Amino acid sequence: MRGRWSGILIAIVLGLQACGSEPPPPTPSPALPTDWPTQQGTAVRQVPMPAGQLLGYLPELTAGHVLCTAPAPEDWTTALQGEVRAEVFLTDRCHVVSARFELTARLSNDLVTGSDTVAGRRARVDRQQAASDLDVELVTEEVAKRYPGLRPTLSVTVRLREVTATDEQGQTGQIAKTLAEAMLRRAGGAGPELPPLNDKGEITPLTPRPPVPGLGVADQPYPVAAEQLCLILREALGGVPVAEPRGVCTLSTRTTRVVATLTQASRDRGYQGSVAGRPVARDGAEQVWIGLRDDSAQQVHLAGPVPEEVLAAIVPRLTGR
């Protein structure tokens, strides 16, 4: 009898050991996320495409939207092999995922030292186990040094979303190149070079530009916005305008000085009222911030004495009305 129970116990132990040695169930394959945009992302909106070297001078709140919308929808689905989800992540990055791949694209200050090329530009690919980083030069390092705030490099990262996958064939690098080329076909293609600057860092000669109908100065490359601001201030106040490539125009008259800057709202700046249908915040008599869009925190800061009736005339021009 004792031998019988011993056999039963041994069988039970062996059975339990066998159960414990079974491999864990396979990790499910990645699928498109159901909650989108992510907590740190915002929905992609349509924005104007910058031309030429002005791509590197986009406002932070515009860059990600440009990079996400420059490729055609079929460019995304073909390169990433299926349906995609897109968002602007962390303010300025284009973030796109399919079931198999994840892409992040941004403008950066990374130095491009590689010997590869993408869209006729110098490029570098850094291949990793399950991802690839691609940097594409928009303007040379020598040119970039002369322009404060310019981000002269398009940086694209593509990775496999499956946890255990490896990119043995360099597929992620090829996808990064394909989509970088698609971005550069519409954004940063044929167009103007960066404007010439004098030894003070001012745009010379200054070509005042009219604001874009329906947009005004919002989502414009900084040098373009500077020239638009100069035209608006000169029309409203007279005087002599001076533009700086970082989105700043300074207007001087015989009696006053006004500085207009394209900027973005900080989290703690609440608008206190409105002028000509747009929200404004004030700090004293000579500081005013004008919100340009309902779907973006872009704003124009005016520093200097601007009469209320002049401000009421300026605001519609800033917003393209």
Side-chain angles (χ1 to χ4, degrees):
M1 188 70 177
R2 181 179 300 174
R4 179 183 174 187
W5 282 110
S6 298
I8 292 173
L9 288 173
I10 291 171
I12 292 173
V13 171
L14 292 175
L16 290 173
Q17 289 178 344
C19 290
S21 64
E22 288 182 1
T27 303
S29 298
L32 284 172
T34 55
D35 295 330
W36 199 264
T38 63
Q39 289 186 349
Q40 293 178 296
T42 57
V44 177
R45 56 188 175 84
Q46 293 295 319
V47 291
M49 289 294 114
Q53 295 179 341
L54 293 173
L55 172 61
Y57 243 137
L58 288 176
E60 183 179 272
L61 294 176
T62 305
H65 299 279
V66 165
L67 298 178
C68 273
T69 56
E74 57 269 23
D75 292 330
W76 287 114
T77 55
T78 299
L80 297 180
Q81 300 179 17
E83 185 182 353
V84 300
R85 299 279 189 271
E87 67 175 356
V88 172
F89 184 70
L90 295 177
T91 306
D92 68 338
R93 304 181 183 200
C94 173
H95 179 218
V96 183
V97 300
S98 67
R100 295 191 61 202
F101 301 99
E102 178 176 21
L103 173 143
T104 302
R106 63 189 176 93
L107 300 176
S108 75
N109 292 300
D110 295 346
L111 179 63
V112 182
T113 57
S115 58
D116 209 337
T117 59
V118 169
R121 306 163 189 260
R122 184 162 62 172
R124 175 187 61 202
V125 179
D126 179 14
R127 182 176 166 185
Q128 303 162 31
Q129 183 176 2
S132 293
D133 296 322
L134 169 68
D135 290 325
V136 184
E137 187 177 76
L138 302 178
V139 300
T140 65
E141 182 184 10
E142 292 72 24
V143 171
K145 286 179 179 178
R146 301 198 298 270
Y147 292 88
L150 177 72
R151 292 181 289 175
T153 302
L154 171 62
S155 296
V156 180
T157 296
V158 177
R159 71 173 183 87
L160 296 167
R161 293 188 64 215
E162 190 172 353
V163 175
T164 59
T166 57
D167 185 17
E168 296 179 357
Q169 304 300 320
Q171 190 177 18
T172 56
Q174 186 54 54
I175 291 172
K177 287 183 177 182
T178 297
L179 287 170
E181 289 174 349
M183 292 172 190
L184 293 171
R185 276 198 295 271
R186 289 189 64 213
E193 295 183 355
L194 293 168
L197 306 180
N198 62 18
D199 56 2
K200 297 180 181 179
E202 302 163 344
I203 298 176
T204 305
L206 171 62
T207 305
R209 299 175 186 266
V212 179
L215 287 173
V217 302
D219 294 317
Q220 302 301 303
Y222 279 123
V224 174
E227 294 182 329
Q228 292 171 333
L229 290 171
C230 280
L231 176 62
I232 293 169
L233 289 182
R234 191 179 67 180
E235 288 177 342
L237 297 168
V240 179
V242 174
E244 300 173 40
R246 197 66 175 93
V248 180
C249 178
T250 301
L251 183 94
S252 299
T253 70
R254 289 182 298 175
T255 59
T256 190
R257 180 175 181 268
V258 177
V259 180
T261 305
L262 177 64
T263 181
Q264 65 186 56
S266 59
R267 292 183 179 181
D268 58 352
R269 178 166 297 282
Y271 293 115
Q272 306 144 345
S274 64
V275 172
R278 295 308 307 164
V280 298
R282 302 177 189 268
D283 184 2
E286 296 188 1
Q287 302 279 345
V288 61
W289 291 260
I290 303 126
L292 300 177
R293 300 182 59 94
D294 294 333
D295 58 0
S296 175
Q298 295 173 81
Q299 59 183 6
V300 166
H301 174 221
L302 296 177
V306 178
E308 283 298 313
E309 64 274 13
V310 175
L311 183 62
I314 286 176
V315 170
R317 295 285 281 152
L318 292 175
T319 56
R321 288 186 277 150

